[in-house]
Amino acid sequence: MPPTEEHAREAGLAQLFPLPASIIAVVAFAALGPMFFLGNPSGHDFEFHLNSWMEVVTQWQQGIIYPRWAAMAHYGYGEARFLFYPPASWILGGLLGFVLPWAWVAPAFIWIALSAAGFSMFLLARRWLSRVDAIFAAALYAVNPYHLVIVYWRSALAELLASALLPLLLLFVLRAEPEGRKTIVPLSLVVAGAWLTNAPSAVMVNYSLALLVVVVAIVRRSPRILLYGGGAVLVGAALSGFYLMPAAYEEKWVNIAQVLSPGVRPKDNFLFTIIADPDHNRFNLLVSTVAISEMVLLLGAVFLARKGRRDQPQLRWTLTAWAAAAVLLMFSITSFFWEHLPKFRFVQLPWRWLLCLNLAFALWITLGMRRWIGRTLVCLLMIGVILFGWHRIQTPWWDSADDIAEMHDNLEEGKGYEGTDEYVPTGADPYEIKQDVRKVVVEGGGQVRVHVQQWSPETRSFTADVTQPSRAILRLFNYPAWRVEVNGRVVPTEMHEVTGQMMFALPPGNNRVRITLIRTWDRTLGGVISGVSVVLIVGVIATDKRRSESMSPS
């Protein structure tokens, strides 16, 4: 039987441990089974994440607490990756890299992400379902079909980590009416967590929050809930200001438009879309097959749930609205919204809304199929869909421990790795660079002697003894945050007309050159906004706590 209202209010972390958490963790671990025999699944983003984690560890070892410049990207020319990619995933990956062999880091990350998703779903489901049903919903959500697609084909590990926030989003929205303005703080933490984990997921979280508060406000006839949702969006953005402010301001300094290049645009990724790229089409067919299978089962579960209990109207209406929106947004009939809603196109891939649909999928399956035979059949059917896609549509790719060791060796030896187009400074062309050039090349004739003293991610220094006016060309992409000092004086830089490398003039004589990645004003302002927001939230929590204690009977 579902828990009583009093029991629901008491539901929390205490009920998660030890048995439910153990079951969820075991199910998440079981999802890693093929990795023990085949190696690491090397999906679309695998090398991006692993190279990022390795470089983060290297920079931490050099004393750089919060990396900004990925020095080894583009084979040593660098990119502003850590300024634009949210920090949660690369911090977690880096921490795991400190304590585990690199071949184990991605599986450990995946296990943590799947377990966290299951834990948060249990906290949501337990508020309305029995303990056993809540465990089933949590386990199903943790290893839902789209999560398996992420794990074995996409390696979109930051997006996978963000899935743990979605059940909490719905939980706090549904608590908005009884808890009033107190719900703003936990909701804002979810919004901030999304921004700091995965930008496309954060866009989905913000639009989902808007939809959910509208539905709850209508069901409860309480317009104040709209204010709580709006407040959470603003406070959440402020909390993540240290990341959002530089990412928004410095966006014009990089080729960020590449995130919407052909093949990754929304119009190229609606379900069953075909373009002139066979590899794209195979994966689109795979994810479309998974999506349609889930939609059919979800519709059946909703129909069966209507024959059962009809209480919990807020939960049912929000799940229905969220699922319906997620389904529609995966089809081309919603192209207008993808083109005109602010920042909506940066979700890129319409089928990414499976991340939200799977929350409704797990809960509706649990609500609609009360018998374990039905639940077992659903699980077996979805496993069958994944296996069909695995063998008939697109086989996953794999990296062995030796492959990963080679990646680490390339970084340690200074060879670097392939970067990403969207984080390359504006005007730079990574396809024109040469991987075997020296760190400093001096042009201008005469005698030249160059001695590199330091070449770290955020500081470069060297001496250049030249007999006539010359020009230094560095193995480094030019970026406005780099400050160049020659003999203690700041000098202007230029960008190489072909590659985008940094260039600057050198006067005759022995020149002492220092290049530093400076803290720009936007980074300082973002940090201040985040710091002030944290102080205000702590103050509000402390005030509410004192008020509650003063009102409670002695």
Side-chain angles (χ1 to χ4, degrees), residues 15 28 69 80 145 155 197 234 267 304 340 373 376 382 388 405 423 464:
Q15 295 194 38
W69 184 261
S155 297
T197 303
L234 295 176
K267 69 178 184 179
L304 292 174
H340 294 94
I373 186 172
T376 302
M382 296 316 302
F388 175 81
Y423 303 138

Side-chain angles (χ1 to χ4, degrees), residues 24-352:
I24 295 166
V26 168
V27 171
F29 188 78
L32 309 182
M35 300 182 197
F36 297 104
F37 306 98
L38 301 173
N40 276 271
S42 183
H44 303 152
D45 297 341
F46 179 72
E47 292 189 1
F48 171 87
H49 285 293
L50 199 59
N51 281 319
S52 296
W53 302 343
M54 290 177 177
E55 178 144 11
V56 164
V57 170
T58 299
Q59 295 200 27
W60 283 347
Q61 291 170 340
Q62 297 178 38
I64 301 172
I65 297 175
Y66 190 88
R68 294 168 288 170
W69 184 261
M72 289 292 102
H74 302 290
Y75 308 103
Y77 290 76
E79 67 181 24
R81 172 178 305 199
F82 300 122
L83 273 168
F84 294 95
Y85 202 83
S89 65
W90 51 258
I91 288 176
L92 175 58
L95 290 173
L96 291 172
F98 255 126
V99 298
L100 296 174
W102 282 111
W104 297 3
V105 171
F109 186 107
I110 292 167
W111 177 72
I112 290 172
L114 294 178
S115 298
F119 295 166
S120 63
M121 173 55 86
F122 178 84
L123 296 179
L124 169 66
R126 186 66 183 101
R127 194 170 178 87
W128 289 275
L129 303 175
S130 68
R131 189 166 183 249
V132 172
D133 285 347
I135 292 173
F136 173 77
L140 179 58
Y141 180 67
V143 295
N144 68 67
Y146 181 58
H147 281 182
L148 297 180
V149 170
I150 291 177
V151 169
Y152 286 102
W153 282 273
R154 296 192 59 218
S155 297
L157 302 181
E159 182 180 328
L160 185 67
L161 190 62
S163 68
L165 297 169
L166 298 178
L168 300 179
L169 177 71
L170 180 56
L171 174 63
F172 295 137
V173 167
L174 294 176
R175 284 166 48 177
E177 203 268 338
E179 295 191 4
R181 64 177 182 82
K182 291 182 179 180
T183 196
I184 293 177
V185 171
L187 268 178
S188 67
L189 293 176
V190 172
V191 173
W195 281 121
L196 298 176
T197 303
N198 180 253
S201 299
V203 175
M204 292 192 291
V205 163
N206 278 272
Y207 277 103
S208 295
L209 175 57
L211 172 66
L212 294 173
V213 295
V214 167
V215 172
V216 174
I218 292 173
V219 172
R220 302 298 297 181
R221 295 182 175 86
S222 177
R224 289 180 300 174
I225 294 174
L226 300 177
L227 298 178
Y228 304 150
V233 168
L234 295 176
V235 176
L239 286 169
S240 51
F242 73 93
Y243 156 73
L244 277 181
M245 187 69 192
Y249 178 75
E250 298 185 27
E251 183 179 287
K252 59 182 178 293
W253 295 351
V254 296
N255 293 322
I256 200 67
Q258 290 296 318
V259 301
L260 296 173
S261 59
V264 288
R265 299 172 297 186
K267 69 178 184 179
D268 297 331
N269 290 281
F270 291 111
L271 296 188
F272 298 107
T273 299
I274 297 176
I275 63 174
D277 184 343
D279 291 334
H280 168 280
N281 295 340
R282 277 194 296 272
F283 179 76
N284 185 277
L285 177 59
L286 170 70
V287 76
S288 298
T289 302
V290 170
I292 291 298
S293 301
E294 288 195 41
M295 291 174 192
V296 172
L297 288 172
L298 177 60
L299 186 62
V302 171
F303 176 78
L304 292 174
R306 291 183 62 192
K307 297 181 178 181
R309 298 171 58 93
R310 297 195 179 187
D311 53 359
Q312 310 149 359
Q314 287 186 82
L315 177 64
R316 290 169 179 263
W317 277 110
T318 51
L319 286 178
T320 300
W322 205 1
V327 168
L328 290 174
L329 289 169
M330 287 185 243
F331 292 94
S332 58
I333 58 173
T334 57
S335 294
F336 175 85
F337 299 106
W338 287 95
E339 293 173 4
H340 294 94
L341 287 178
K343 301 296 182 181
F344 205 67
R345 64 188 183 279
F346 286 104
V347 175
Q348 296 176 291
L349 314 168
W351 41 257
R352 244 180 186 142

